Structures are given as C-alpha cells and as structure tokens.
Amino acid sequence: MSGQILILSGPSGSGKSTLLSRLMKEFDGIYFSISSTTRSIREGEIAGVSYHYISEDEFKRGIDEGKFLEWAQVHKNYYGTSLEPVEAALKAGKIVIFDIDVQGFHLAQKKYGEIITSVFVTTKNRYELKKRLKLRGTDSDEVIENRLFNAATEMAHISEYDYLIINENLEKSYLDLRAIFSSLLVKVENYAVNQVIDDWCNK
C-alpha cells in the first residue's frame, strides 16, 4: 500500500475544519498535516493540534533549510507545512490531508501531483461567508474584509481542483467529502498490482 494526499482549499469560514473533524473521527489511517504558523494562538486553539506556533525567526530558518513543503505569508503571518512528517505518513501508507490555500496547493502539486486528490470548499456566496466570519467573532472588520478579498481571488482557481463542495447544507457536504475520501481507499495506485494478480492466480 502507498499513501495518498487529499487537499482541501477554500475561504476561511467555509466549513473545512468542521468537515475534516468529522471525517477524522469516522476513519482511521489518516494523517492530518498540522501547519506551522507565526501568528498568535487564539482562544479555543491548542498548540500542536490547531497549529504548531513558532517564532518568525524559526520559520524563516525552516524556509532557508528547505524544511517546508509549502509556505505562504497571509495577513502578515507565515503559514507552512513541514515535509518530514508528511513523508513518513506517506511511506506508512496513510492518507495525508492538507487544509491549505491555493498557493500551497500549487506548490504541493509540483512535488506530489500524481497522488493528490483536491477539493475546493466554499459558501454559496460572499454574503454567507461574511456572515459566518462575523458570527465566529475572532476577526476584526478589517481582517474580515481582507479574508473576503482573498476568498474572491481564490475562487478564480476552482477549475484547477478535482471536486467542488458548496457548503450550504453541512450534512450533504459531509457525505460528499466522505464519498471522495472513500474513493481514495480503493484506488489502484494503493496496491502492488502484480502481487494482487499473483495472489489471485495462485491461491
């Protein structure tokens, strides 16, 4: 068995974290790639679970040493994905899940294109996204406007993804994501095909 990568992208507030949390409670054999960030921890977040919170100097050293699969600067903070645990999980045959932006998706494609399945998650319109961001209560009006601007930019890349989930109904959206994930478990690439054929013929 070999590993696969499932990438979720989409605007902050579209519901990616809620969908992924439910998926990981239901299925084993998943490695969720925890990003590193230089931003401050928010209320309700847990270090090492929500993010790895590191200093800007430490992050920049990691960039210089090539330790990140992808990284980006968003709203004056750095975010990135460490390569080492990803490689270990893939070698162990796990499905690695990334919650990354469009820029990170492009970088991941260059390295792991053949084993990536990608999903873009969004709301039905910008007004719904703005309402969700305000209800979350963690961002200032200025940050929310920045997030809406970035969301509009990312929407232009939807056609580059394999699947699109418009998260209007959470239950339906989860069933769609679950079906996509389940399909990864039975991809031919997961198997040593010659061994499967030999076993079929000789047993």
Side-chain angles (χ1 to χ4, degrees):
M1 298 284 285
S2 61
Q4 295 284 323
I5 292 175
L6 177 63
I7 288 179
L8 265 68
S9 298
S12 177
S14 60
K16 301 187 301 296
S17 296
T18 301
L19 293 170
L20 285 175
S21 176
R22 185 168 171 184
L23 189 73
M24 289 186 289
K25 285 178 181 177
E26 183 174 355
F27 290 95
D28 297 323
I30 296 174
Y31 171 76
F32 179 70
S33 177
I34 300 171
S35 297
S36 298
T37 183
T38 59
R39 76 159 170 79
S40 300
I41 190 169
R42 293 174 181 161
E43 184 178 350
E45 293 181 340
I46 302 171
V49 176
S50 306
Y51 286 97
H52 297 298
Y53 301 93
I54 63 176
S55 69
E56 187 169 320
D57 287 343
E58 185 179 352
F59 198 104
K60 288 180 176 178
R61 280 199 302 274
I63 294 173
D64 292 340
E65 294 170 5
K67 291 184 175 180
F68 290 108
L69 169 64
E70 56 81 27
W71 64 271
Q73 189 174 17
V74 183
H75 308 305
K76 299 180 180 180
N77 294 304
Y78 287 91
Y79 295 81
T81 304
S82 179
L83 269 170
E84 188 174 343
V86 169
E87 293 283 354
L90 289 172
K91 287 179 181 178
K94 295 184 177 181
I95 293 178
V96 177
I97 297 181
F98 294 145
D99 176 357
I100 52 178
D101 64 13
V102 169
Q103 180 182 346
F105 166 56
H106 289 157
L107 292 169
Q109 271 191 316
K110 291 179 181 178
K111 187 171 181 64
Y112 295 116
E114 293 183 357
I115 59 171
I116 287 176
T117 299
S118 57
V119 184
F120 195 96
V121 181
T122 187
T123 53
K124 63 181 178 180
N125 55 49
R126 71 184 304 274
Y127 303 103
E128 175 64 21
L129 181 61
K130 185 173 184 177
K131 183 174 76 173
R132 292 186 189 183
L133 290 171
K134 282 185 171 292
L135 286 172
R136 197 162 66 176
T138 58
D139 297 323
S140 67
D141 288 344
E142 180 182 359
V143 170
I144 287 174
E145 289 304 316
N146 284 336
R147 291 193 186 281
L148 291 171
F149 176 82
N150 289 338
T153 302
E154 290 199 322
M155 293 289 287
H157 295 273
I158 285 176
S159 62
E160 299 168 16
Y161 286 73
D162 297 315
Y163 298 97
L164 171 63
I165 294 176
I166 299 175
N167 188 16
E168 188 173 0
N169 179 290
L170 184 61
E171 186 63 25
K172 180 183 181 303
S173 295
Y174 177 68
L175 291 176
D176 289 342
L177 179 61
R178 187 183 189 278
I180 294 166
F181 177 85
S182 295
S183 73
L184 301 185
L185 300 175
V186 291
K187 289 187 75 170
V188 168
E189 292 89 340
N190 290 347
Y191 295 90
V193 174
N194 289 337
Q195 185 63 51
V196 171
I197 295 170
D198 287 344
D199 289 345
W200 186 87
C201 292
N202 299 318
K203 292 184 180 179

